């Protein structure tokens, strides 16, 4: 029996999501929330991290962005690299941190400790976001949608048939982070994960929020390499459908090449390339 192509199978959901997104974006915004972006990175990922941050600064100039870089203790970003990041994003904080790639209870625990730190001082409707170093943005539409959404968590699940909000980029209200942490005071994380056979952070985050009965909005905003390959470039339709591109692939140099080809402005190029070469 032939399986229906996933794009056809998801077409009704996609149409609904586009209608929902239009409705959400049409809402008035009483207050622009703070988006505190959490990056877990290391020395070998510096060029990708710099590209990622360069993209968000250029693509979302009207968004209230703050950035925390949780710097891998085993392979830390150098001080010279940290200076480049701070020059790009004023106020950026580089925080020494244990490995938190997102596999197993220990690393997932460190990720939630990072979210706890990120939520400090934020109002409940402000946003803590997980963003990977291999994700670059090309518009601010998802930030505007999250700001206007009533959801406790916003993520993209289209690549995993909406089973969970896939890692790479997802958004949590600061109040949601505090509610999850209160849940974990009552039920230790290791036991919670073991009882549900969960071993990765994105599934864990989705299930923790759902356990509280809070609304999770899964929509289309994160493009993947095979979708770029099929499209050939970031054309108008891709830029309408998505807000960012997640280079979840071994050859991440394609991220830098694509960013230069599709988004980097000539006036930015000399300083950008010089920064990427920082040892």
């Amino acid at each position: 029996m032939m399986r229906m192509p996933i794009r056809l199978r998801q077409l009704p959901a996609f149409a609904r999501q586009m209608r929902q997104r239009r409705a959400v974006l049409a809402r008035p915004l009483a207050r622009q929330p703070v988006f505190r972006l959490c990056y877990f990175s290391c020395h070998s990922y510096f060029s990708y991290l710099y590209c990622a941050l360069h993209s968000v600064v250029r693509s979302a100039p009207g968004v209230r962005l703050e950035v925390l870089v949780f710097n891998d203790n085993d392979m830390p970003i150098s001080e010279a690299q940290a200076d480049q990041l701070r020059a790009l994003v004023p106020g950026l904080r580089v925080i020494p941190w244990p490995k938190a790639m997102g596999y197993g209870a220990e690393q997932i625990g460190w990720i939630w400790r990072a979210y706890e730190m990120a939520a400090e001082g934020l109002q409940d409707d402000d946003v803590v976001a997980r963003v990977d170093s291999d994700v670059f943005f090309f518009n601010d539409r998802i930030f505007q949608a999250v700001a206007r959404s009533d959801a406790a968590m916003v993520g993209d699940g289209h690549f995993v048939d909406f089973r969970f909000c896939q890692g790479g980029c997802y958004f949590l209200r600061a109040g949601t982070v505090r509610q999850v942490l209160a849940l974990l005071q009552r039920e230790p994380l290791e036991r919670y994960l073991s009882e549900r056979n969960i071993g990765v952070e994105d599934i864990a985050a989705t299930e923790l929020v759902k356990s509280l009965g809070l609304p999770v909005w899964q929509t289309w905003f994160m493009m993947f390499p095979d979708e770029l390959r099929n499209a050939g470039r970031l054309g108008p339709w891709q830029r309408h459908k998505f807000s960012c591109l997640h280079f979840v692939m071994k050859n991440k140099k394609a991220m830098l090449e694509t960013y230069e080809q599709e988004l980097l402005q000539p006036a930015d190029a000399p300083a950008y390339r010089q920064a990427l070469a920082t040892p």
Side-chain angles (χ1 to χ4, degrees):
M1 186 182 201
M2 279 186 63
R3 291 189 63 190
M4 183 183 293
I6 190 167
R7 281 182 291 181
L8 287 179
R9 192 168 73 246
Q10 291 182 347
L11 186 59
F14 176 71
R16 286 195 301 271
Q17 281 303 314
M18 292 301 100
R19 289 195 296 271
Q20 182 178 358
R21 191 176 77 178
R22 283 195 299 271
V24 169
L25 287 169
R27 295 174 185 171
L29 185 61
R31 172 183 175 270
Q32 178 68 254
V34 173
F35 284 81
R36 197 164 282 171
L37 310 185
C38 299
Y39 289 84
F40 298 86
S41 204
C42 63
H43 187 276
S44 65
Y45 268 42
F46 168 75
S47 59
Y48 313 125
L49 174 61
Y50 190 89
C51 173
L53 289 172
H54 194 274
S55 77
V56 77
V57 167
R58 296 298 187 268
S59 299
V63 177
R64 296 175 65 191
L65 295 172
E66 298 179 5
V67 175
L68 304 182
V69 175
F70 293 92
N71 190 12
D72 190 318
N73 286 335
D74 295 334
M75 194 165 49
I77 291 164
S78 71
E79 193 55 39
Q81 291 171 338
D83 286 343
Q84 290 286 359
L85 299 177
R86 286 188 283 258
L88 179 63
V89 187
L92 177 146
R93 294 166 60 195
V94 178
I95 303 161
W97 208 252
K99 190 173 296 295
M101 297 295 290
Y103 300 101
E106 183 177 0
Q107 290 190 21
I108 294 170
W110 280 111
I111 288 170
W112 279 94
R113 291 183 187 95
Y115 295 165
E116 180 178 25
M117 179 182 292
E120 289 177 2
L122 294 181
Q123 297 186 33
D124 281 347
D125 67 339
D126 288 327
V127 180
V128 173
R130 161 67 183 256
V131 190
D132 283 358
S133 301
D134 57 359
V135 172
F136 71 60
F137 287 85
F138 41 86
N139 65 56
D140 71 346
R141 192 175 297 112
I142 187 57
F143 292 100
Q144 299 302 337
V146 171
R148 291 164 171 80
S149 167
D150 297 324
M153 179 180 191
V154 179
D156 187 325
H158 84 273
F159 206 73
V160 290
D161 220 10
F162 296 100
R163 297 192 307 275
F164 53 90
C165 295
Q166 190 164 2
C169 182
Y170 57 77
F171 302 84
L172 299 158
R173 294 288 176 184
T176 302
V177 171
R178 287 188 268 268
Q179 286 178 269
V180 169
L181 292 166
L183 168 66
L184 295 178
Q185 288 292 316
R186 302 188 298 271
E187 184 173 2
L189 178 63
E190 188 169 357
R191 188 175 74 197
Y192 180 95
L193 299 175
S194 176
E195 289 176 352
R196 293 160 180 83
N197 195 30
I198 296 172
V200 291
E201 60 89 15
D202 46 8
I203 298 176
T206 308
E207 291 304 314
L208 283 163
V209 175
K210 286 182 175 179
S211 294
L212 293 165
L214 299 173
V216 176
W217 181 23
Q218 292 194 53
T219 187
W220 271 261
F221 68 85
M222 187 162 54
M223 189 178 186
F224 287 84
D226 68 328
E227 292 167 316
L228 177 65
R229 185 169 55 250
N230 291 339
R233 59 184 296 268
L234 286 177
W237 173 242
Q238 287 72 38
R239 292 171 189 251
H240 172 73
K241 185 177 180 180
F242 300 109
S243 288
C244 61
L245 209 167
H246 185 195
F247 282 84
V248 56
M249 56 195 301
K250 288 185 178 179
N251 178 21
K252 295 190 188 297
K253 290 182 179 178
M255 174 186 181
L256 305 180
E257 293 166 358
T258 304
Y259 186 68
E260 289 215 17
Q261 291 166 4
E262 298 282 352
L263 296 169
L264 186 64
Q265 297 298 309
D268 286 340
Y272 169 83
R273 292 171 184 152
Q274 183 176 10
L276 288 192
T278 305

